[in-house]
């Protein structure tokens, strides 16, 4: 009987030991399995996305930057798909400074800013940006694009009741420094809400009627950059239809007179005519009526000699004037800004309320006190680097203007002689 009991106890002990060992092994196995799974998940999480490994994906700034990577073409459909599937949010896509020759149709992205500048692009596919429904800014500057390559179908978007296949959110288009010499008349028909257009550095000489029609189709255009285009004149009616035009840059052209066409820009606020070979602003060649103009620059004009009576008299709301770095400018008429307040009383004059006046680095020797009024209300007056004469005509400068300069802009006093 005792032997049977002992055998039973031994059997139970062995069963407990075996089961404890199995249970322990199962726990270890389960823990190892969990650790392995966790390790694999971490490796998967840490594994970089293929395009982000090649380029730079900034999650915080929502930017995909693949500039200066010596690309000879854009990515294929499979690569783009992996970027979409990765969940990398992209508001800005930078593909500049590569060797990309052609732009095929982009897949669907939520991108708002697309930079394709400084490539060798000469071909853009029809509906290239069709799937970029949120695109607001497109930079195609510094490429090899020609008028033949720039066709309206490039900018076709999806169907819309109000506009013809629009890219409706596009606001800014940069086409500067390409090989274009004119514009297709319908180039912008799919960009009804374009507000800013740059054509700088394209040689439009002469400007043809189709280009005028193209600009006229941009009803909401606010900023137009026509700098460094070798323009000898601005065509009549260019600024009639874009009624919201605020900023016009005509720097670095071949204009010899103030363009009469500017008179059609009835809401213009900002204008630059720098670096044009204009010699005189006087007589019949003064600024036309621009009631809303606030900023004007006529600087770096090597041939400008005379600013005559009434040159700026039709610019009623001028607030800032830049007349700088004109080495031949010797004459600034005392009535350049003033205008007759009442035709029946020609003695009564008005002046614009200039806040910032820059006259530095010219060849002026005299400055009349009646050029402007309320000198002490100005924020900035810069008259440095001019050969001012010390005579009775300039006595007011020593008595009135110099004290104002010392008070308002003392840093501009060092080079006033």
């Amino acid at each position: 009987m005792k032997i049977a009991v002992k055998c039973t106890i031994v059997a139970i002990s062995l069963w407990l030991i075996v089961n404890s060992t199995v249970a322990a092994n199962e726990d270890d196995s389960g823990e190892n399995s969990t650790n392995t799974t966790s390790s694999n998940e971490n490796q998967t999480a840490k594994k970089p996305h293929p395009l982000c490994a090649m380029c730079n994906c900034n999650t915080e700034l929502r930017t995909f930057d693949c500039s200066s990577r010596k690309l000879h073409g854009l990515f294929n459909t499979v690569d783009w798909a992996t970027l979409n599937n990765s969940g990398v949010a992209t508001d800005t896509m930078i593909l500049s400074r590569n060797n990309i020759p052609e732009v095929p149709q982009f897949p669907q992205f939520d991108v708002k800013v697309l930079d394709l500048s400084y490539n060798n692009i000469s071909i853009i596919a029809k509906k290239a940006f069709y799937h970029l429904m949120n695109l607001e800014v497109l930079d195609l500057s510094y490429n090899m694009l020609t008028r033949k390559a720039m066709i309206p179908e490039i900018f076709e978007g999806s169907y819309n009741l109000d506009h013809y296949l629009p890219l409706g959110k596009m606001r800014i288009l940069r086409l500067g420094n390409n090989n274009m010499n004119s514009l297709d008349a319908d180039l912008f028909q799919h960009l009804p809400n374009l507000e800013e257009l740059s054509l700088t550095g394209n040689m439009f000489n002469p400007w043809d009627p189709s280009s005028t029609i193209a600009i006229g189709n941009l009803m909401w255009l606010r900023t137009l950059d026509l700098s460094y285009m070798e323009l000898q004149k601005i065509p009549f009616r260019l600024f009639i239809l874009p009624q919201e035009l605020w900023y016009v840059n005509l720097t670095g052209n071949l204009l010899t007179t103030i363009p009469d066409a500017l008179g059609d820009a009835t809401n213009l606020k900002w204008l630059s005519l720098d670096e044009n070979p204009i010699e005189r602003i006087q007589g019949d060649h003064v600024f036309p009526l621009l009631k809303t103009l606030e900023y004007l620059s006529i600087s770096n004009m090597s041939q400008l000699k005379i600013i005559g009576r009434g040159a700026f008299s039709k610019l009623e709301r001028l607030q800032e004037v830049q007349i700088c770095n004109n080495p031949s400018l010797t004459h600034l008429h005392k009535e350049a800004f003033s205008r007759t307040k009442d035709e029946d009383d020609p003695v009564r004059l008005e002046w614009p309320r200039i806040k910032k006046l820059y006259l530095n680095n010219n060849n002026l020797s005299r400055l009349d006190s009646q050029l402007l009024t309320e000198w002490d209300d100005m924020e900035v007056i810069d008259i440095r680097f001019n050969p001012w004469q010390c005579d009775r005509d300039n006595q007011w400068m020593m008595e009135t203007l110099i004290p104002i300069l010392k008070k308002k802009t003392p840093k501009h006093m060092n080079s006033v002689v």
Side-chain angles (χ1 to χ4, degrees):
M1 185 70 176
K2 292 181 179 179
I3 295 173
V5 171
K6 288 182 178 179
C7 289
T8 301
I9 292 172
V10 170
I12 292 171
S13 299
L14 289 172
W15 182 84
L16 290 172
I17 292 170
V18 170
N19 279 277
S20 298
T21 303
V22 171
N25 289 337
E26 286 178 352
D27 289 342
D28 290 343
S29 176
E31 184 178 345
N32 289 338
S33 176
T34 301
N35 290 339
T36 301
T37 302
S38 177
S39 176
N40 288 338
E41 287 177 352
N42 289 336
Q43 289 178 3
T44 302
K46 292 179 180 179
K47 184 178 180 181
H49 175 267
L51 290 189
C52 292
M54 176 182 179
C55 306
N56 180 27
C57 294
N58 190 317
T59 304
E60 184 177 347
L61 298 177
R62 300 171 66 90
T63 299
F64 174 73
D65 187 350
C66 210
S67 59
S68 303
R69 305 293 169 140
K70 297 182 180 180
L71 300 179
H72 292 278
L74 289 175
F75 305 111
N76 59 38
T77 305
V78 175
D79 289 335
W80 282 131
T82 59
L83 180 59
N84 261 331
N85 296 335
S86 70
V88 176
T90 303
D91 284 345
T92 301
M93 185 175 289
I94 305 172
L95 295 159
S96 63
R97 299 184 185 278
N98 288 294
N99 295 312
I100 300 169
E102 182 176 352
V103 178
Q105 188 179 64
F106 276 85
Q108 185 171 351
F109 284 109
D110 291 331
V111 63
K112 296 178 181 178
V113 178
L114 177 59
D115 186 350
L116 289 163
S117 63
Y118 291 93
N119 281 291
N120 293 316
I121 298 170
S122 60
I123 299 174
I124 302 178
K126 294 180 179 180
K127 298 186 177 183
F129 313 106
Y130 178 87
H131 297 295
L132 306 182
M133 300 178 63
N134 293 317
L135 188 62
E136 298 177 9
V137 180
L138 176 60
D139 193 342
L140 291 166
S141 58
Y142 290 94
N143 279 292
M144 306 294 290
L145 295 168
T146 62
R147 171 177 174 163
K148 185 177 180 181
M150 294 303 297
I151 56 176
E153 290 79 6
I154 287 173
F155 301 114
E156 281 189 6
S158 56
Y159 176 76
N160 185 284
L161 286 173
D162 299 321
H163 299 288
Y164 176 41
L165 302 177
L167 283 177
K169 293 188 177 182
M170 180 88 80
R171 298 290 184 272
I172 300 174
L173 177 60
R174 301 186 180 115
L175 296 173
N177 296 283
N178 279 281
N179 294 330
M180 303 167 62
N181 55 21
S182 66
L183 301 173
D184 186 296
D186 297 322
L187 180 59
F188 306 121
Q189 65 179 345
H190 303 295
L191 304 175
N193 298 313
L194 199 67
E195 296 178 0
E196 180 178 325
L197 174 65
S198 175
L199 296 169
T200 181
N202 289 286
M203 302 299 108
F204 279 47
N205 187 11
W207 184 284
D208 67 349
S210 67
S211 299
T212 300
I213 295 172
I215 300 297
N217 286 333
L218 298 172
M219 300 298 294
W220 303 108
L221 190 66
R222 291 193 173 185
T223 300
L224 180 59
D225 188 350
L226 301 178
S227 58
Y228 302 101
M229 296 179 65
E230 295 191 354
L231 298 175
Q232 295 181 348
K233 62 180 181 178
I234 303 300
F236 180 62
R237 303 180 67 85
L238 178 62
F239 303 125
I240 285 182
L241 292 179
Q243 289 296 302
E244 298 299 318
L245 197 59
W246 287 2
Y247 307 91
V248 172
N249 189 355
L250 295 172
T251 299
N253 282 294
L254 302 176
L255 302 173
T256 57
T257 59
I258 304 300
D260 292 333
L262 287 170
D264 295 324
T266 54
N267 289 305
L268 197 62
K269 295 184 177 183
W270 189 101
L271 174 63
S272 174
L273 282 162
D274 296 350
E275 300 179 46
N276 276 279
I278 297 173
E279 293 186 16
R280 301 167 183 267
I281 305 176
Q282 64 178 161
D284 294 332
H285 301 294
V286 298
F287 282 89
L289 179 63
L290 294 170
K291 288 187 176 182
T292 59
L293 193 69
E294 298 176 358
Y295 173 95
L296 173 65
S297 183
I298 47 173
S299 302
N300 301 299
M301 302 172 74
S302 61
Q303 299 183 47
L304 182 61
K305 299 175 182 177
I306 297 174
I307 297 177
R309 176 186 283 112
F312 314 116
S313 63
K314 297 177 183 178
L315 310 180
E316 301 175 5
R317 295 189 186 177
L318 269 184
Q319 295 182 16
E320 180 173 344
V321 184
Q322 300 261 359
I323 307 174
C324 314
N325 304 306
N326 303 306
S328 300
L329 180 60
T330 58
H331 182 71
L332 178 58
H333 198 280
K334 66 178 183 179
E335 296 179 16
F337 289 95
S338 60
R339 62 185 178 277
T340 302
K341 187 174 183 178
D342 188 344
E343 292 183 0
D344 296 329
D345 187 3
V347 178
R348 298 184 62 188
L349 300 176
E350 282 185 325
W351 289 262
R353 299 291 296 273
I354 303 292
K355 292 297 182 182
K356 298 179 181 180
L357 176 65
Y358 297 87
L359 293 174
N360 53 289
N361 296 80
N362 294 300
N363 197 19
L364 296 170
S365 59
R366 286 180 171 80
L367 186 64
D368 197 283
S369 62
Q370 295 302 305
L371 177 70
L372 293 167
T373 58
E374 302 179 4
W375 292 89
D376 55 344
D377 286 341
M378 293 187 192
E379 298 172 5
V380 178
I381 304 172
D382 190 349
I383 61 171
R384 294 174 297 167
F385 304 108
N386 282 281
W388 302 113
Q389 292 291 330
C390 186
D391 56 22
R392 291 185 61 183
D393 291 336
N394 282 339
Q395 185 66 27
W396 81 276
M397 295 178 68
M398 291 299 299
E399 295 175 352
T400 305
L401 187 57
I402 295 301
I404 292 173
L405 292 180
K406 288 180 178 179
K407 180 181 177 181
K408 298 280 187 176
T409 54
K411 65 179 181 179
H412 291 165
M413 283 297 302
N414 294 336
S415 301
V416 177
V417 180

